[in-house]
Amino acid sequence: MGLRLNLLLISVIPILFFAAAMIGVVTQQTRTLYKEIFVLIEERLVSDKKTALENYAELAETAIRPLVAKDDFSADDQEQAKAVLNAMTFGEDGYFYVYDYDGTNLVHPRLTHLVGQDLWDMQDPNGNRVIQGLIGQAKDGGGFHSYIWNKPSTGLEEPKIGYAKGIDAWGWMLGTGLYLDDIRGETALVNATIGSSVQRSFLWVLGFGLLAVLLAAGVVYAFQHGLQRTADRKLTALNRRIVDIQEEQAQ
């Protein structure tokens, strides 16, 4: 019995090591793939948000274009444009803001106390000059600027991506933005879904690995058991032969 057990262990241990190595490699590759997919999804979400911001800004600019295009525009035309932009909101925290190129706020539907203030030197908690950055993008033909800003629905300071474009005829910077905590929420949901899928895949791999070990152990045991039975039959036959020879000699 000891010999049979030793043979079984000698046969199964390499299979165990191989299965453990296979599970380890598959797990590591799955985790690496998961991280890469997570980064790609996050980048894709941010890219989609940026595209949406450009579309929103274009929509707002189109809404006031007839007023801006007038050769003899007046202060009343600008006030009408401000009213239009004040009324154009989207989602819970989506809105449009306007600053003149000197940094004075002209339109802000959610933080109305800012209207009329010179915010040229305003900095976010990271020292980022928010308004200067947005106006710079607007003067360069339109672009994105990241900063920290108050989120109206929560009252908290949150990271935000802003998109600004210039209305040069009036010396205005028209902008809008999206808060990154919303993107993080979407990313977290995707993360949880992928994580659950990865965990299920790992359990399947682990289960197949253990099944392979058990099957291998069963095959080895059956093979050794067959050898033992063959050896026992041969030993029994040999003993009978010896007894027969002894009986022949006794006669």
Side-chain angles (χ1 to χ4, degrees):
M1 185 66 179
L3 179 60
R4 181 184 300 178
L5 179 60
N6 289 336
L7 290 174
L8 182 62
L9 290 176
I10 291 172
S11 303
V12 171
I13 285 176
I15 300 175
L16 286 173
F17 277 117
F18 175 77
M22 180 186 69
I23 292 172
V25 169
V26 171
T27 301
Q28 182 60 38
Q29 290 181 341
T30 301
R31 288 176 178 173
T32 301
L33 181 60
Y34 164 70
K35 291 179 181 178
E36 292 176 353
I37 292 175
F38 178 78
V39 171
L40 289 174
I41 289 174
E42 188 174 37
E43 291 177 350
R44 182 62 183 176
L45 285 174
V46 172
S47 176
D48 289 345
K49 296 297 184 183
K50 286 184 175 180
T51 300
L53 286 179
E54 290 185 84
N55 292 334
Y56 288 146
E58 181 65 26
L59 180 65
E61 194 273 335
T62 301
I64 64 173
R65 187 177 297 163
L67 298 170
V68 177
K70 288 184 177 181
D71 293 331
D72 56 345
F73 66 85
S74 64
D76 288 339
D77 293 323
Q78 291 185 334
E79 290 302 317
Q80 186 177 346
K82 292 176 185 179
V84 170
L85 295 173
N86 262 310
M88 294 181 67
T89 59
F90 54 94
E92 188 175 18
D93 293 293
Y95 55 88
F96 297 95
Y97 46 83
V98 175
Y99 291 78
D100 65 25
Y101 282 170
D102 293 326
T104 299
N105 182 269
L106 303 177
V107 175
H108 203 301
R110 300 299 173 85
L111 302 177
T112 55
H113 65 279
L114 297 179
V115 177
Q117 293 190 34
D118 180 357
L119 302 177
W120 177 259
D121 292 321
M122 173 180 278
Q123 299 181 37
D124 70 7
N126 295 329
N128 183 342
R129 294 187 181 276
V130 178
I131 308 306
Q132 291 183 30
L134 290 168
I135 291 175
Q137 293 292 340
K139 287 183 175 181
D140 287 340
F144 297 95
H145 185 64
S146 298
Y147 53 94
I148 307 295
W149 195 260
N150 179 274
K151 186 175 183 179
S153 63
T154 63
L156 301 176
E157 300 291 312
E158 297 286 356
K160 187 175 185 179
I161 299 176
Y163 178 77
K165 65 183 306 180
I167 302 178
D168 294 329
W170 288 0
W172 282 10
M173 177 271 287
L174 169 63
T176 187
L178 289 171
Y179 292 91
L180 292 182
D181 65 319
D182 296 333
I183 298 177
R184 288 199 299 267
E186 294 181 34
T187 306
L189 179 61
V190 175
N191 182 26
T193 302
I194 295 176
S196 177
S197 177
V198 169
Q199 185 177 18
R200 287 196 300 270
S201 298
F202 173 76
L203 292 176
W204 275 106
V205 170
L206 181 62
F208 279 121
L210 292 176
L211 180 61
V213 170
L214 292 174
L215 288 175
V219 170
V220 171
Y221 178 81
F223 178 72
Q224 292 179 347
H225 184 67
L227 291 177
Q228 185 65 44
R229 291 182 61 184
T230 300
D232 290 342
R233 286 197 299 271
K234 290 181 178 180
L235 181 59
T236 300
L238 179 60
N239 289 334
R240 289 177 179 174
R241 178 60 180 163
I242 293 173
V243 170
D244 290 342
I245 292 174
Q246 289 176 345
E247 289 178 350
E248 291 175 357
Q249 291 177 349
Q251 292 176 357

